[in-house]
Amino acid sequence: YYANVSRSAQPSPIDDLKNIFQTPALTSQTGTTIEMGARGGDERSKWDLAIYHAWLNQELLTIPTPPNFVNFTTTNAKSTVHTGIELGLESNITLGLFTADDHLRLRGSYTWSRFEFDNDPKLGDNRLSGIPEHNGRFEMLYQHPNGFYIGPNVTAVSSNWVDFANTLSASPYTLLGARIGWDD
């Protein structure tokens, strides 16, 4: 079990010097985060759970510059909050199909994220764009003791806003994949 409180600071990006005379001037992002969680397991299975909440002041955000939305600039948001849960699970099942030590590794992760403005004068409590609320991944790998592995995986992501005004969203999607390789 663990818990912590941390403070953070981030200056504006050095590659954003083109905005050095921007009004209002960019200020450093600062924040306070609380996190608690637990992890455990044995030789056959592992798990990890974390819950966090962060209060950010002057969060540095990248936004498009109208009228052509191919140029971007950095700006400060007055106040934002980031809340989330992260869960990871892993299990190894001995198979004994081709050798006594081959096994099936099952791995899964799930993230719930809620990142939003905090009482912004223009955007209220809108969600920050580009961060899906739900994100899950599952993988099943056959692993041979000589290092060979193969197996399918799936990633599923919920819809998310593509603008800070929360007027346009990207559709949810699912990716099906497979891995094959050798690990020495």
Side-chain angles (χ1 to χ4, degrees), residues 3 52 57-58 69 84 113 127 157 176:
Y52 65 89
N57 300 309
Q58 304 298 324
F69 292 94
S113 303
R127 302 281 301 273
V157 177
L176 301 175

Side-chain angles (χ1 to χ4, degrees), residues 63-73:
I63 59 170
T65 308
N68 68 9
F69 292 94
V70 295
N71 294 325
F72 293 86
T73 188

Side-chain angles (χ1 to χ4, degrees), residues 15-61:
D15 65 340
D16 211 22
L17 290 177
K18 66 181 185 251
N19 298 319
I20 198 163
F21 299 110
Q22 156 179 328
T23 305
L26 290 175
T27 59
S28 293
Q29 169 184 308
T30 59
T32 303
T33 303
I34 58 171
E35 179 184 27
M36 59 185 155
R39 63 178 56 105
D42 55 32
E43 59 194 42
R44 292 184 47 139
S45 62
K46 300 174 189 172
W47 59 273
D48 194 334
L49 173 67
I51 301 169
Y52 65 89
H53 187 82
W55 296 267
L56 299 176
N57 300 309
Q58 304 298 324
E59 181 172 359
L60 295 161
L61 299 174

Side-chain angles (χ1 to χ4, degrees), residues 84-138:
I85 298 172
E86 299 169 351
L87 173 65
L89 303 168
E90 182 176 329
S91 183
N92 289 307
I93 301 168
T94 303
L95 295 174
L97 290 176
F98 302 106
T99 178
D101 296 332
D102 63 350
H103 63 274
L104 191 63
R105 175 182 284 177
L106 305 173
R107 289 193 285 196
S109 65
Y110 170 75
T111 304
W112 174 76
S113 303
R114 187 157 188 92
F115 295 9
E116 58 194 5
F117 292 96
D118 187 18
N119 231 2
D120 186 85
K122 291 182 181 176
L123 300 170
D125 292 332
N126 285 1
R127 302 281 301 273
L128 296 180
S129 62
I131 298 137
E133 185 171 2
H134 304 280
N135 189 335
R137 180 172 170 80
F138 178 76

